[in-house]
Amino acid sequence: MPNCPLSQSSAERPPAAPFIGDAAPYGGGDPYADYRRADLPFTHLVDLADRRLGAGVIAANDEFFAERENLLKPGPAEFDPERFGHKGKIMDGWETRRRRGASAERPHPTDQDHDWALVRLGAPGVVRGIVIDTAHFRGNYPQAVSVEATSLPGSPSPDDLLADGVRWTTLLPRTAVGGHAANGFAVRAERRFTHLRVNQHPDGGIARLRVYGEVAPDPGWLAALGTFDLLALENGGRVEDASDRFYSPATNTVLPGRSRRMDDGWETRRRRDKGNDWIRYELAERSEIRAVEIDTAYLKGNSAGWAALSVRDGEAGAGAGTGAGKEAEWTEILPRTRLQPDTGHRFVLDRTVTARQVRIDIFPDGGISRLRLFGSLTEEGAARLAARHRELGA
């Protein structure tokens, strides 16, 4: 394929992150010894490019040294200094061949030459931050990167995305990056996107791509489903806060599917006081809850002993979703209930419960792997979600 043209339109551009310098050659010992990472304000948000949500790298113009799919692998990139193949050093990332100029008189690539990859987000949403991680790419990382985004319905092919007339918005203009570092960039584009185009100038390697933001579900799809999991990430549920994230993040509890191993759920440290641990969630919109599932899969000697569930419906004395009025009280809908290790627990509620926020309390500590709340949006919740969908340009 030919090079992708650069963006046809631009959102408000974030300030460029400072170039943090060249990486030192690998000197043996700890492969992360000089790895550089900053505290970024958006990494607590959902990774919209998480493969567990259905994200994928659907095309790239070149992947000679390392395949594009590595970009979205969960976990940090790994490095084996002794691992070589018939094409050279095997890297845990996406790496293209070295670009060359047109002739002996012009051996260098032009300023316009670049490599690209098309990424389908696992959950369409509003992007708040991007991390271009060049871990272990020390002398072979790109000189600069840029990222563009678009929104197309359905399941478009690479040819559909590369077609004339597709509108791309610049999330990150061409910006220098450092090698062997997590290069983070805040994004200010209040729109809903489904796909990204990641460009590296002129060539090189990127270990991981993380796209942090807020899920913006399709209200038409949710209406067609009727009853669905109100807490699921792909349906717009999110974790607001948690008492403890020592062993694994609370966001794991709203991932798709059942947990596949112990660290695929939420587990807290051991408490030595008389308190308890908890997670607070926000639903995509005001909803009616009819059934609950609490799963402790793969948590055997460390599952929570008991759990209780409470809800809150907007603001007291004001309409749900408004910012006025006194904060509403929590109402318990599932009393403190014994949990079994490595078990799915299902509860049908005695009555339909209307809520905007949910809190699970576990006693005294431990963890759960998944929490599911089954129900549907209220009429006013569905109307507000549809209005927000339109505001985001969907």
Side-chain angles (χ1 to χ4, degrees):
M1 291 185 185
N3 291 339
C4 284
L6 294 181
S7 67
Q8 300 162 1
S9 66
S10 296
E12 181 183 349
R13 292 185 173 183
F19 177 60
I20 56 177
D22 293 332
Y26 176 61
D30 180 6
Y32 278 99
D34 62 343
Y35 179 70
R36 287 157 292 175
R37 177 190 295 277
D39 290 329
L40 301 170
F42 47 74
T43 54
H44 65 287
L45 299 173
V46 178
D47 180 7
L48 302 174
D50 192 327
R51 280 200 59 85
R52 292 171 294 183
L53 289 174
V57 187
I58 61 174
N61 72 307
D62 186 288
E63 46 188 328
F64 184 86
F65 285 114
E67 57 267 26
R68 63 184 191 261
E69 288 84 1
N70 289 336
L71 278 175
L72 305 187
K73 286 170 62 175
E78 298 179 354
F79 181 72
D80 181 353
E82 304 298 327
R83 192 176 180 211
F84 285 82
H86 66 278
K87 290 184 178 180
K89 182 73 187 73
I90 296 176
M91 296 295 290
D92 186 11
W94 168 48
E95 185 182 3
T96 67
R97 73 192 77 200
R98 300 187 188 215
R99 280 185 170 269
R100 298 295 186 238
S103 65
E105 290 73 25
R106 292 182 294 165
H108 303 101
T110 69
D111 288 342
Q112 289 72 42
D113 287 339
H114 66 280
D115 292 321
W116 53 264
L118 297 176
V119 177
R120 179 188 64 243
L121 297 179
V126 180
V127 179
R128 302 297 185 192
I130 296 172
V131 173
I132 304 289
D133 192 340
T134 56
H136 312 300
F137 287 95
R138 297 167 181 268
N140 48 352
Y141 57 93
Q143 181 183 31
V145 297
S146 61
V147 180
E148 303 155 280
T150 192
S151 182
L152 290 183
S155 303
S157 68
D159 287 341
D160 295 330
L161 290 164
L162 299 177
D164 293 339
V166 174
R167 181 182 177 86
W168 290 91
T169 298
T170 298
L171 302 185
L172 175 68
R174 183 168 175 167
T175 304
V177 292
H180 195 45
N183 301 271
F185 308 95
V187 173
R188 298 175 183 87
E190 199 68 20
R191 293 191 59 192
R192 178 184 187 268
F193 296 113
T194 61
H195 293 77
L196 301 186
R197 184 162 61 195
V198 180
N199 306 302
Q200 45 180 341
H201 306 268
D203 53 38
I206 299 170
R208 295 288 188 269
L209 171 72
R210 303 293 184 239
V211 184
Y212 296 101
E214 300 157 6
V215 176
D218 180 353
W221 174 253
L222 298 184
L225 292 178
T227 296
F228 56 91
D229 180 2
L230 301 164
L231 263 189
L233 279 180
E234 65 265 35
N235 295 332
R238 69 181 185 92
V239 170
E240 284 191 319
D241 201 2
S243 61
D244 188 291
R245 301 176 176 86
F246 190 82
Y247 286 113
S248 46
T251 302
N252 284 354
T253 61
V254 289
L255 286 174
R258 291 200 79 200
S259 175
R260 295 174 181 171
R261 61 185 198 181
M262 190 172 70
D263 65 349
D264 194 19
W266 172 59
E267 183 188 355
T268 72
R269 74 189 80 196
R270 301 187 189 213
R271 275 191 171 265
R272 302 308 187 195
D273 58 20
K274 300 301 180 182
N276 73 283
D277 288 314
W278 51 267
I279 307 174
R280 188 174 72 243
Y281 305 88
E282 185 175 30
L283 306 180
E285 253 301 341
R286 195 167 187 241
S287 303
E288 295 180 338
I289 305 168
R290 292 186 281 274
V292 176
E293 183 175 1
I294 303 173
D295 197 350
T296 58
Y298 289 94
L299 295 163
K300 299 179 180 180
N302 50 357
S303 65
W306 293 263
L309 204 66
S310 303
V311 300
R312 190 159 63 183
D313 183 19
E315 308 288 339
T322 68
K326 181 182 177 182
E327 194 170 61
E329 296 293 328
W330 290 98
T331 301
E332 189 175 75
I333 62 171
L334 182 69
R336 194 177 302 188
T337 302
R338 188 76 167 99
L339 299 182
Q340 299 300 318
D342 196 25
T343 301
H345 309 76
R346 291 180 174 176
F347 309 94
V348 177
L349 301 182
D350 294 335
R351 59 183 177 83
T352 298
V353 176
T354 302
R356 189 72 168 83
Q357 292 175 296
V358 178
R359 190 185 75 228
I360 187 168
D361 287 272
I362 63 170
F363 302 87
D365 55 25
I368 62 172
S369 60
R370 297 289 189 271
L371 176 63
R372 307 294 189 207
L373 301 181
F374 296 99
S376 55
L377 298 175
T378 64
E379 185 175 346
E380 66 270 29
R384 279 194 298 268
L385 192 66
R388 173 64 171 160
H389 197 62
R390 291 191 295 271
E391 288 173 6
L392 295 174

